[in-house]
Amino acid sequence: MSPVLRRLSRRHFTRHPWQALLAVLGVGLGVAVVVSIDLANASALRAFRLSSEAVTGKATHRLVAGPAGMPEELFVRLRVDHRLRPSAPVVSGYVGVTDRPGRTLRLLGLDPFSEAGFRTYLERDTAQVELDRFLTAPDTVWLAPGTGADLGVGPGDPLDLELAGMPRRVRIGGLLEPHELRAESLNDILVADISTAQELLDFQGRLSRIELILADDGEARLRELAAALPPGVTLERAGSAGTTGERMTGAFRTNLQALSLLALLCGAFLIYNTVTFAVLQRRRLFGTLRALGVTRRELFTLILGEAAAIGAVGAALGLAGGVWLGRGLVGQVTRTINDLYFAVAVQSLDLDPFVLAKGAVLAVGASLIAALAPAVEATSTSPRSALDRAELESRTHRAVPRASAAGLALLAVGAVLLLLPSSGLPASFAGLFLLLLGFALLTPAATMLLIAILTPVAGLLFGQLGRIGGRGVVAALSRTAVAISALMIAVSVIVGVDVMVRSFRTTVEGWLEYSLPADLYLSAGSAPTGSLDGVRPGFDAEFVERLGVLDGVEAMSTLRQTTVRTASGDTRLIAVDLDARSFGSFAFKEGDRQEIWPAFERGAAAIVSEPYASRTGVTRGSEIAFETPAGRRTWPVLGVYFDYASELGAVTISRRAYVDLWGDQSVTAISIRALPGTDVAVLEEAIRAAGGERRLLMRSNQAIRDDSLRVFDRTFVITGTLRLLATLVAFVGVLSAFMALQLERSRELGVLRAQGLTPGQLWRLVTSQTGLMGLTAGLLALPVGITTAAVMIYVINRRSFGWTLEMQLSPEPLLAAVGVAVGAALIAGVYPAYRMSQTPPAEALRSE
């Protein structure tokens, strides 16, 4: 590029600094959103991987069983009969911290004599744990320094824990040194001798799993070992737990990333606006340069160079903003993962170089792609046409049918991607983006139609100035269509996300109403919702019987939640014993209630939740095989029920069948229906008295509804934050576009001033025109936003989580969206209207 062209470019942006500033700000905001979400997701996933590495160690394979675990004699047989020396027994479970409600720690019971080669922080040659004390001190645990500091305990201090409501006091024996692991890998992990863990978890004589280190070429040995295992015990690769955890959160993380890309899409529209207006403002200059001998290649390089510079500066600001924003979002992402999936502790933001590089590439790449169309237009126009404003508008109007045809084609391709049953989640988001781009290309034609309808209304409100403003929108379509499209896309994203969240919340509220029919609910579980491993102690049968005979108890239902092995991997199993009136707490998507319950109570059938059916392909009429201590057992599936508790889904069977097969009579949850006229508060006190020293987690159905909705709202705090940032990006873009549009009309407005237009009339003219543009964008955003919401509810949500949601439309958010569009347009017109009202007509008419 010649020095003369560089000086011309620098002069233009020096004379219009706000235009460059707003463009850089828009790019920076878009990049900041993408980078912050990627960094927060990567940090949370890294914490889970580190935790899994600390728990699994260097094991290559492991033996796992169902809720009853496996007899510890199996470990002896493996060591003696099969000579599997690199093997280690493990007891794992979750415990609550008494004075930290909601805080969960993972208890890991290990045998130090078998740990050589598995976990360096307990190997006898490297660990600082006193071996004799580790083996002989009762109720003693070791933890990481970070966890101890967070809980306010150190070596020798007591720590009060809870397990199924029962208090357990342990003493801190010392601090763990991670050695080869990163320090945060041991966060929220308690390590104890295996016998201590068995006593604390009430798991005497049983093991959660046996870890193995096997050679890669030992396929024959693996088959021999698998054939020798007792019923209910299976052999799997050690890395499958981490893979399962990543798969659990995959849809959640993908949705966040896609929402952040919507913000970048708004930023790309902003870049397109900026470069397009920069080209249009210098159209006559470019025509003159072409006439003086500047080549098309030089002009093309000039425009793309300007876009790359905007993208580079925006990337620098965006990366810094993304790191700052990510530090706040990582806590929200972690809290959501803890609420919905598994316990994970994230104390710092992991600055992944790949994420930062991706953010920079996205910024510069989006800038260059957005600038491509105006650069081609500027270089393909002849010098004579470039000097003729009327020719530009004529070409723009002639291009409207072609743009509309291209928009319809994009809508068709996007619809195909969304409607194909085999399409995955990335294809669904690609289809949504194509729909948005298709609607943007249809905007010029829709604008001409709407302005023709709205101009008479503007004439009634503002007189002749209103009619001039309406005709001016269509007359300057090359400028107005871009601004209206950008505002329409931004507002439609706001409408779509808002309708989706409202619909989701309304659906969950309705589900909670019929799924919680009892008066009181008792829970024994301290394990995270999404955890699929570890011992899950519950209430014993004696306690359940005491509750059943209390005065005021009309009926009682019990539930046991655990994890079993099926063909689809680790599966959440729910075994229920329901009173007759609780059958109505299940609403079936597939299956007949009258046919299901008799077979279900006999233990002859299973039912599955909708997310499980969606994830595994199981439907009514399918069969599910479980690995049980009595061997493999198969259940026919008679129904699929709606459930919004977890996207992982569950299989539900009769508790009677569960006890027969697994011999486990404990329960993890109890629901109690009070007799009519019973004082529920008095009944609650009687239940607590029956529990003795047990600290019962007991809540009413209303309390559970409120807590569930709080978790829901917490989950969508991230969505709200991203929606706000996307709105900010869009507003910056619209402000830039509308200000450039109005300031470029200075000559036209100067002519009107010279003909007698007063400053007050100029204000009304600009206000009527920007108001019409904002109203047009707002009205066009409503069908686009509703379509976006429908895609997210019926396609993306179903493919992500497997939930059926009921779409809810209310006038308030729709009217608010139109108000946002009109308000943004009116605010964008304030500065140019003020500037033009203060500019003498002679100066406005002056030509360079």
Side-chain angles (χ1 to χ4, degrees):
M1 185 190 303
S2 69
V4 174
L5 292 180
R6 283 198 296 268
R7 285 197 298 272
L8 285 173
S9 176
R10 187 165 55 248
R11 181 187 178 194
H12 171 76
F13 285 107
T14 301
R15 294 181 61 187
H16 302 282
W18 54 267
Q19 194 170 344
L21 178 62
L22 289 175
V24 168
L25 181 60
V27 177
L29 283 171
V31 172
V33 173
V34 175
V35 170
S36 63
I37 286 297
D38 281 352
L39 288 178
N41 281 337
S43 299
L45 193 58
R46 173 187 57 85
F48 174 73
R49 288 172 177 167
L50 289 174
S51 178
S52 297
E53 182 182 355
V55 172
T56 303
K58 299 177 181 179
T60 62
H61 296 75
R62 62 181 188 174
L63 300 179
V64 295
M70 63 192 75
E72 57 188 8
E73 291 81 9
L74 178 61
F75 173 68
V76 178
R77 286 171 44 201
L78 292 175
R79 302 274 289 195
V80 175
D81 297 345
H82 295 273
R83 293 183 173 84
L84 285 175
R85 292 301 178 187
S87 56
V90 177
V91 171
S92 175
Y94 292 91
V95 294
V97 182
T98 301
D99 60 352
R100 300 287 183 92
R103 182 68 179 271
T104 300
L105 303 178
R106 186 166 190 169
L107 177 62
L108 203 61
L110 304 174
D111 174 19
F113 296 106
S114 305
E115 281 296 301
F118 284 91
R119 280 161 285 267
T120 57
Y121 55 85
L122 207 61
E123 288 182 353
R124 284 178 289 174
D125 296 335
T126 60
Q128 296 182 2
V129 175
E130 299 176 15
L131 185 59
D132 57 343
R133 192 178 180 197
F134 187 84
L135 293 171
T136 60
D139 296 335
T140 303
V141 299
W142 274 254
L143 44 67
T147 305
D150 185 39
L151 296 176
V153 294
D157 292 338
L159 178 63
D160 291 323
L161 305 175
E162 289 183 6
L163 192 70
M166 294 297 293
R168 295 283 195 275
R169 169 163 286 192
V170 297
R171 192 162 296 277
I172 307 301
L175 303 177
L176 298 171
E177 296 297 333
H179 295 293
E180 298 177 6
L181 301 173
R182 293 176 63 168
E184 59 264 41
S185 64
L186 294 175
N187 284 340
D188 288 359
I189 294 178
L190 300 179
V191 177
D193 176 59
I194 195 166
S195 60
T196 299
Q198 287 174 326
E199 292 176 4
L200 291 173
L201 297 170
D202 195 20
F203 211 56
Q204 289 88 346
R206 313 293 293 178
L207 302 175
S208 299
R209 63 181 183 271
I210 298 174
E211 295 178 347
L212 309 170
I213 297 179
L214 301 177
D216 294 335
D217 57 352
E219 292 298 328
R221 186 76 181 277
L222 290 177
R223 288 193 295 269
E224 175 188 350
L225 177 60
L229 296 177
V233 179
T234 57
L235 175 67
E236 66 178 20
R237 292 195 174 274
S240 61
T243 303
T244 300
E246 294 182 24
R247 189 174 64 246
M248 286 182 199
T249 59
F252 169 72
R253 291 182 285 110
T254 300
N255 277 273
L256 287 183
Q257 290 169 340
L259 192 58
S260 67
L261 288 175
L262 284 177
L264 186 63
L265 180 64
C266 294
F269 266 96
L270 168 59
I271 301 167
Y272 177 72
N273 285 343
T274 301
V275 178
T276 298
F277 278 106
V279 170
L280 290 174
Q281 286 174 318
R282 293 175 291 172
R283 185 179 175 84
R284 292 179 61 84
L285 174 62
F286 288 161
T288 302
L289 291 174
R290 290 286 311 284
L292 293 174
V294 175
T295 65
R296 292 181 176 180
R297 175 175 295 181
E298 289 175 323
L299 203 56
F300 187 83
T301 304
L302 170 67
I303 296 171
L304 288 188
E306 292 174 350
I310 291 172
V313 177
L317 292 177
L319 293 179
V323 172
W324 175 79
L325 186 61
R327 297 188 191 279
L329 286 181
V330 68
Q332 295 183 8
V333 172
T334 303
R335 186 168 57 182
T336 299
I337 291 176
N338 285 333
D339 286 338
L340 301 180
Y341 303 104
F342 41 75
V344 59
V346 184
Q347 298 179 349
S348 60
L349 190 71
D350 192 29
L351 298 182
D352 188 344
F354 174 76
V355 172
L356 299 178
K358 186 178 76 170
V361 170
L362 283 175
V364 177
S367 301
L368 292 175
I369 292 172
L372 197 59
V376 170
E377 195 277 335
T379 55
S380 62
T381 304
S382 66
R384 182 180 180 281
S385 298
L387 297 172
D388 187 357
R389 168 71 182 271
E391 174 63 22
L392 170 63
E393 296 303 332
S394 297
R395 288 178 55 190
T396 301
H397 281 75
R398 290 195 300 269
V400 169
R402 294 195 299 273
S404 300
L408 291 174
L410 288 178
L411 291 179
V413 175
V416 169
L417 288 177
L418 293 170
L419 295 176
L420 282 177
S422 58
S423 296
L425 201 53
S428 301
F429 281 114
L432 176 58
F433 288 143
L434 290 178
L435 288 185
L436 292 175
L437 292 176
F439 283 123
L441 289 174
L442 289 173
T443 299
T447 297
M448 296 173 66
L449 177 62
L450 268 180
I451 291 296
I453 298 172
L454 295 175
T455 297
V457 179
L460 293 176
L461 296 175
F462 298 98
Q464 185 62 30
L465 293 177
R467 286 188 286 271
I468 293 175
R471 289 194 293 268
V473 173
V474 177
L477 195 64
S478 62
R479 294 146 173 81
T480 58
V482 176
I484 292 174
S485 296
L487 183 55
M488 182 273 294
I489 290 295
V491 176
S492 68
V493 170
I494 297 171
V495 171
V497 173
D498 192 83
V499 171
M500 185 272 292
V501 173
R502 286 173 180 263
S503 300
F504 202 163
R505 199 178 198 280
T506 302
T507 302
V508 171
E509 284 179 335
W511 170 69
L512 290 172
E513 285 295 325
Y514 66 75
S515 64
L516 297 171
D519 297 296
L520 292 172
Y521 292 84
L522 284 73
S523 173
S526 56
T529 304
S531 173
L532 293 178
D533 67 341
V535 181
R536 291 178 179 268
F539 300 123
D540 55 72
E542 180 183 353
F543 174 69
V544 175
E545 291 177 4
R546 287 204 306 269
L547 294 185
V549 298
L550 289 177
D551 292 337
V553 174
E554 178 185 16
M556 189 169 65
S557 299
T558 57
L559 177 148
R560 174 61 166 161
Q561 178 175 300
T562 187
T563 303
V564 296
R565 298 285 297 178
T566 66
S568 59
D570 287 340
T571 299
R572 178 171 287 102
L573 178 68
I574 298 177
V576 295
D577 182 9
L578 302 177
D579 68 274
R581 289 174 57 187
S582 294
F583 292 161
S585 61
F586 288 85
F588 287 96
K589 180 181 180 180
E590 298 178 21
D592 180 12
R593 184 187 307 275
Q594 302 301 322
E595 175 189 355
I596 292 172
W597 287 121
F600 181 87
E601 287 190 291
R602 294 195 310 270
I607 55 178
V608 299
S609 67
E610 183 188 24
Y612 181 84
S614 175
R615 182 168 60 87
T616 62
V618 171
T619 60
R620 181 175 179 269
S622 301
E623 291 187 340
I624 298 179
F626 296 151
E627 298 293 340
T628 76
R632 176 168 294 191
R633 293 292 184 270
T634 301
W635 273 267
V637 176
L638 291 188
V640 177
Y641 61 91
F642 294 106
D643 178 67
Y644 303 93
S646 170
E647 68 173 88
L648 302 176
V651 178
T652 302
I653 63 172
S654 165
R655 186 164 162 261
R656 182 184 307 170
Y658 171 80
V659 172
D660 289 343
L661 289 171
W662 278 277
D664 176 17
Q665 298 200 25
S666 63
V667 299
T668 49
I670 303 171
S671 63
I672 297 174
R673 194 191 306 275
L675 284 168
T678 299
D679 187 334
V680 177
V682 173
L683 177 59
E684 184 175 344
E685 289 301 320
I687 293 172
R688 293 193 184 279
E693 63 175 343
R694 190 189 302 268
R695 292 169 56 93
L696 295 175
L697 177 58
M698 181 164 40
R699 294 176 292 175
S700 66
N701 50 18
Q702 186 59 51
I704 294 179
R705 292 189 190 102
D706 294 341
D707 289 345
S708 300
L709 293 177
R710 271 195 293 270
V711 170
F712 177 91
D713 293 335
R714 244 190 346 249
T715 301
F716 281 97
V717 164
I718 305 171
T719 304
T721 303
L722 296 183
R723 181 174 52 185
L724 178 62
L725 291 171
T727 304
L728 183 59
V729 172
F731 180 77
V732 169
V734 171
L735 181 63
S736 172
F738 279 21
M739 288 178 66
L741 173 65
Q742 294 300 333
L743 292 176
E744 193 200 358
R745 297 175 63 231
S746 59
R747 185 175 181 81
E748 173 189 339
L749 297 175
V751 171
L752 293 175
R753 288 289 311 281
Q755 293 178 342
L757 198 70
T758 66
Q761 290 173 323
L762 180 67
W763 273 91
R764 288 198 296 274
L765 175 61
V766 173
T767 300
S768 65
Q769 190 171 61
T770 55
L772 279 174
M773 294 172 65
L775 181 59
T776 300
L779 292 176
L780 293 178
L782 296 185
V784 179
I786 293 172
T787 302
T788 301
V791 170
M792 289 191 286
I793 290 171
Y794 297 119
V795 180
I796 292 177
N797 171 77
R798 192 165 294 178
R799 291 176 181 173
S800 298
F801 307 110
W803 289 318
T804 296
L805 305 181
E806 298 178 4
M807 189 169 179
Q808 301 289 329
L809 289 177
S810 56
E812 293 85 2
L814 303 183
L815 293 175
V818 176
V820 167
V822 175
L826 290 176
I827 293 173
V830 169
Y831 174 70
Y834 168 78
R835 176 172 170 175
M836 289 309 304
S837 67
Q838 302 299 313
T839 303
E843 183 178 337
L845 292 170
R846 184 177 297 127
S847 178
E848 297 185 20

